[in-house]
Amino acid sequence: KAGVTQTPRYLIKTRGQQVTLSCSPISGHRSVSWYQQTPGQGLQFLFEYFSETQRNKGNFPGRFSGRQFSNSRSEMNVSTLELGDSALYLCASSLTGRGETQYFGPGTRLLVL
Amino acid sequence: AQSVAQPEDQVNVAEGNPLTVKCTYSVSGNPYLFWYVQYPNRGLQFLLKYITGDNLVKGSYGFEAEFNKSQTSFHLKKPSALVSDSALYFCAVRLLQTGANNLFFGTGTRLTVIP
């Protein structure tokens, strides 16, 4: 069974631009969560989607948004990029998001210049 | 509030020796506990988890962890370290009784196995 895939793997953007990252979960998994990893703040939860609905949200500004499609694929969008948004963005999937193991993708490394 | 602490930023161990990576947690309920490993330029790879039952959990690649409720700890162990175990290890907790699925991660421990 294929793992979680994320595209693109690397991105370079400039301040003020917006960016969209994509995540395809493991087949059959309906819960998708997004995390931000930075050297300073570590791993922080962004949001979780299940059945096309945001079920839970972390403490990030409204510039960070996401959505989930009927095939469980998810996208996250960051508008008006800031230098501090430079990070590794990780997507994780699980069956229903009710305590099962979350399996992570390889991440998208975003550099904001 | 929930939190996870990994008190050691760096752990060095000689190849063949036993290794321990420490994790303590603070939650206001029953936790799910996880260990993940991250290799350079990679995502997180699941090692093992504790939900309920036997306090000793066995996971991938020969790793195991012991859940200690009285000490609120969930230390990761391996009897004999390999050079290939060198990586960044994260402990994480998820609250059992809430509807939230998000994981709270520790700050990570970099394990270096010396040949």
Side-chain angles (χ1 to χ4, degrees):
Chain A
K1 189 180 276 192
V4 179
T5 58
Q6 293 187 245
T7 56
R9 292 293 309 277
Y10 303 94
L11 266 178
I12 299 176
K13 293 285 187 179
T14 56
R15 279 182 298 173
Q17 287 187 309
Q18 71 149 11
V19 67
T20 299
L21 312 181
S22 181
C23 170
S24 292
I26 292 171
S27 178
H29 285 194
R30 296 170 61 193
S31 169
V32 174
S33 297
W34 289 88
Y35 294 84
Q36 182 197 63
Q37 184 178 20
T38 60
Q41 299 298 317
L43 279 154
Q44 292 185 289
F45 171 74
L46 280 156
F47 30 64
E48 182 210 2
Y49 284 87
F50 178 79
S51 290
E52 304 177 61
T53 301
Q54 188 181 88
R55 189 159 64 177
N56 192 20
K57 189 177 189 302
N59 189 25
F60 278 82
R63 300 185 297 108
F64 291 82
S65 63
R67 60 177 175 169
Q68 186 180 34
F69 301 94
S70 58
N71 62 357
S72 295
R73 188 177 70 86
S74 178
E75 291 181 346
M76 68 163 283
N77 183 276
V78 188
S79 62
T80 320
L81 283 166
E82 301 177 358
L83 295 179
D85 297 333
S86 295
L88 180 67
Y89 289 89
L90 293 164
C91 163
S93 78
S94 63
L95 276 169
T96 66
R98 292 303 184 191
E100 317 96 357
T101 300
Q102 292 185 34
Y103 294 94
F104 284 80
T108 294
R109 186 164 295 281
L110 172 65
L111 177 61
V112 181
L113 301 176
Chain B
Q2 47 279 321
S3 65
V4 177
Q6 293 181 245
E8 300 160 317
D9 291 336
Q10 174 83 42
V11 170
N12 297 325
V13 63
E15 185 178 21
N17 282 4
L19 70 87
T20 298
V21 182
K22 296 179 181 178
C23 171
T24 59
Y25 64 91
S26 174
V27 299
S28 55
N30 295 315
Y32 286 163
L33 294 160
F34 300 82
W35 275 102
Y36 286 87
V37 60
Q38 187 174 37
Y39 296 98
N41 300 317
R42 303 282 295 276
L44 301 178
Q45 188 172 329
F46 170 72
L47 282 178
L48 51 79
K49 68 179 178 183
Y50 172 82
I51 297 177
T52 187
D54 194 351
N55 289 343
L56 183 63
V57 180
K58 293 189 183 296
S60 306
Y61 313 116
F63 284 94
E64 59 187 28
E66 186 166 11
F67 172 66
N68 188 318
K69 188 171 184 177
S70 62
Q71 297 186 6
T72 61
S73 67
F74 189 57
H75 301 331
L76 181 70
K77 301 182 179 186
K78 188 175 183 182
S80 179
L82 300 173
V83 172
S84 58
D85 293 330
S86 298
L88 188 57
Y89 289 80
F90 289 96
C91 180
V93 64
R94 175 192 179 274
L95 289 182
L96 180 64
Q97 71 273 24
T98 70
N101 191 40
N102 50 298
L103 296 171
F104 291 90
F105 285 90
T107 51
T109 298
R110 185 164 300 281
L111 172 69
T112 300
V113 181
I114 302 164

